[in-house]
Amino acid sequence: MDAAVKVAADVHVGTPPGPLSDWVMRKVHFHGFAGLPTARGVSVKSPEFSCFGHQWLVVLYPGGGRLEGSKEGHVSVYLHNQSPESIQACYKIILKHPTDQAQRIYLADQLKTFGAERSGKESWGNSNFANRETLLTYLNNGTLTLEVHLRSHKKAESNGYVPSNPCSGNLLKGFNNEEMSDVTFEVGGEVESAANRRKRAKTTPTTFHAGHLILKLNAPSLADMCKPGDEAAVPINGVEPEVFKMLLYFCYGGKVSEDELEANAKAIIEAADRFEVINLKLQAEAVLTEKTEITVDNMLDNLLYANSKNLALFQESIMDFVAKNGDKIVGNVSFSSAPGELISDILTAVARGKMTKGDASGDELKFMRVGDLRKRLHDKGLCIDGSRETMISLLKENSKGDDDEQ
């Protein structure tokens, strides 16, 4: 009879893969698909997007690829890893019919290794994804929308517990903490007594405490209104106390929920713009853009508001509406009250809607989407707030400066 064996801990060489994550989906829109080049072997690439710490893009061959086995009249689709490291991932590329979601074209594969960028093994896909004539029946207002689904291994759990950096949590402990603060604000205290009246009724203001250094880093205009150690509270009017609380909480590293952003979008944008809390302003703008349904009736009011607050993303979505619905707008909406620069933006939106890949005539920035402009500015450490014209001008100035240094 064999002696009992005591089993010790396993020995691992390298890091074992963790369990597979949940699926993450990104929609990739190819606008004006019918007008994309149909020559065999000519590709159209999507902008890069991020998932699982890697950069990805979708490569479409509207007229078919040149790989052996690629059929005439079929469209090729590939998913590319654009990062310098390889990654194992499962992927699905799904095309749904715009009027019947159950009707779909489906490409899926088991766990694959996407090699590093330019390794020659960085992409997976299908050279015969679907017949081009079939795809033309799946367009929604001329746009081909592919759903890209990805899942990858989660990081394996470490045998030992390593706590995360406590900095953000510690900062939040100081939020509105009088003992840890050196400036005070009194928010509110005045409301309109009645519509169209100049007289204001006094109400009890709400007191907030903050650290001047934190404000200097995250809300510079608010920091400029006070000095560390000021005994008198700084009055803040024109902002609801609840909105100011969200803004201050954000400055301390807190997260404002999407529900709060949606319910207070314009008030948050107003306050964040006033006190230079740029990222909060852009978060509220993104929610406002997503939740606002643009119509012929409200289009001009929303456009003028977006322009007045330099809400480039919101303005772009309105311009896209104008470009797609010009026949409904002409004769029904007057642009006489619109600033001249908006007309240029409208023409840009119309031109971009008609463009195919490579039509930018060397001026890539002119037709670039707002999200891509902001990403470029952020990557260069530049300010991402401002109109399209401001962002483009800043990128060009920075690019010229880089050229002068070389």
Side-chain angles (χ1 to χ4, degrees):
M1 183 175 179
D2 294 335
V5 176
K6 183 178 180 180
V7 179
D10 294 348
V11 177
H12 295 276
V13 179
T15 304
L20 283 172
S21 68
D22 293 332
W23 287 100
V24 177
M25 187 269 285
R26 296 289 295 267
K27 289 185 179 181
V28 180
H29 305 282
F30 289 89
H31 300 290
F33 173 79
L36 296 180
T38 55
R40 202 170 179 84
V42 176
S43 67
V44 177
K45 297 179 181 179
S46 76
E48 292 185 11
F49 57 92
S50 179
C51 190
F52 298 117
H54 282 243
Q55 292 297 113
W56 307 82
L57 60 77
V58 174
V59 179
L60 190 73
Y61 291 84
R66 290 180 174 172
L67 292 179
E68 185 178 350
S70 180
K71 299 177 182 177
E72 186 71 32
H74 279 65
V75 175
S76 303
V77 177
Y78 297 94
L79 178 63
H80 281 240
N81 170 32
Q82 292 295 105
S83 296
E85 301 86 19
S86 63
I87 181 174
Q88 284 193 317
C90 300
Y91 75 97
K92 296 185 288 188
I93 299 178
I94 302 173
L95 172 63
K96 296 178 180 177
H97 196 279
T99 59
D100 181 5
Q101 296 290 289
Q103 187 177 342
R104 59 185 63 185
I105 298 172
Y106 196 95
L107 168 62
D109 218 328
Q110 300 298 316
L111 193 66
K112 295 290 186 182
T113 298
F114 288 80
E117 180 187 15
R118 299 184 182 180
S119 66
K121 300 177 181 180
E122 68 272 19
S123 65
W124 288 94
N126 194 316
S127 58
N128 298 301
F129 178 66
N131 184 280
R132 175 179 167 78
E133 295 303 318
T134 301
L135 290 191
L136 291 173
T137 67
Y138 277 70
L139 304 185
N140 186 5
N141 291 326
T143 297
L144 182 75
T145 299
L146 299 177
E147 290 186 0
V148 178
H149 298 248
L150 281 164
R151 67 190 305 197
S152 186
H153 287 296
K154 296 179 181 178
K155 290 184 178 179
E157 294 186 4
S158 170
N159 290 330
Y161 171 70
V162 180
S164 60
N165 189 329
C167 181
S168 59
N170 289 338
L171 278 176
L172 280 173
K173 292 178 183 177
F175 167 66
N176 207 20
N177 186 313
E178 185 174 2
E179 293 182 357
M180 299 182 182
S181 303
D182 54 9
V183 292
T184 305
F185 300 95
E186 287 188 348
V187 181
E190 286 188 340
V191 295
E192 290 285 355
S193 59
N196 301 320
R197 290 189 185 177
R198 293 182 180 179
K199 186 178 180 181
R200 294 177 181 267
K202 286 283 185 178
T203 60
T204 303
T206 304
T207 301
F208 292 94
H209 305 280
H212 189 267
L213 177 59
I214 289 175
L215 297 182
K216 188 174 182 179
L217 293 171
N218 299 299
S221 291
L222 188 59
D224 288 343
M225 298 173 66
C226 53
K227 294 180 180 179
D230 281 349
E231 293 185 5
V234 178
I236 302 291
N237 293 314
V239 181
E240 290 292 330
E242 192 60 31
V243 171
F244 191 84
K245 181 180 179 181
M246 293 179 208
L247 182 141
L248 203 58
Y249 185 67
F250 187 87
C251 289
Y252 273 78
K255 180 178 180 181
V256 180
S257 71
E258 185 170 326
D259 289 342
E260 290 174 318
L261 289 170
E262 182 180 359
N264 303 277
K266 289 190 175 181
I268 291 174
I269 288 169
E270 180 73 31
D273 188 51
R274 175 178 168 184
F275 300 123
E276 293 186 81
V277 189
I278 302 304
N279 284 20
L280 180 59
K281 174 188 173 181
L282 299 188
Q283 286 186 19
E285 180 200 16
V287 172
L288 180 68
T289 302
E290 180 183 355
K291 302 296 183 180
T292 302
E293 180 182 359
I294 304 300
T295 66
V296 173
D297 292 332
N298 69 22
M299 178 271 298
L300 186 57
D301 286 341
N302 279 310
L303 186 58
L304 293 174
Y305 169 73
N307 183 67
S308 69
K309 298 299 177 186
N310 281 327
L311 303 178
L313 182 67
F314 189 34
Q315 185 167 311
E316 181 179 71
S317 74
I318 301 167
M319 293 301 186
D320 288 342
F321 175 86
V322 173
K324 292 179 181 178
N325 297 275
D327 56 330
K328 300 176 184 176
I329 294 172
V330 173
N332 294 314
V333 178
S334 171
F335 287 90
S336 60
S337 60
E341 66 266 18
L342 291 184
I343 306 302
S344 175
D345 281 357
I346 292 173
L347 294 175
T348 298
V350 172
R352 184 171 54 226
K354 296 179 180 180
M355 282 173 53
T356 59
K357 195 73 173 180
D359 281 351
S361 303
D363 195 349
E364 181 187 12
L365 297 176
K366 183 178 179 181
F367 296 101
M368 188 173 286
R369 308 293 295 190
V370 166
D372 295 326
L373 288 171
R374 285 178 174 170
K375 184 177 186 305
R376 285 203 179 189
L377 287 165
H378 181 268
D379 290 346
K380 291 176 176 290
L382 302 173
C383 179
I384 61 176
D385 188 28
S387 65
R388 278 187 61 86
E389 290 74 17
T390 300
M391 290 190 285
I392 290 172
S393 176
L394 189 54
L395 282 170
K396 287 183 176 179
E397 287 176 12
N398 181 261
S399 177
K400 182 180 179 181
D402 291 343
D403 292 340
D404 290 343
E405 290 178 5
Q406 292 178 359

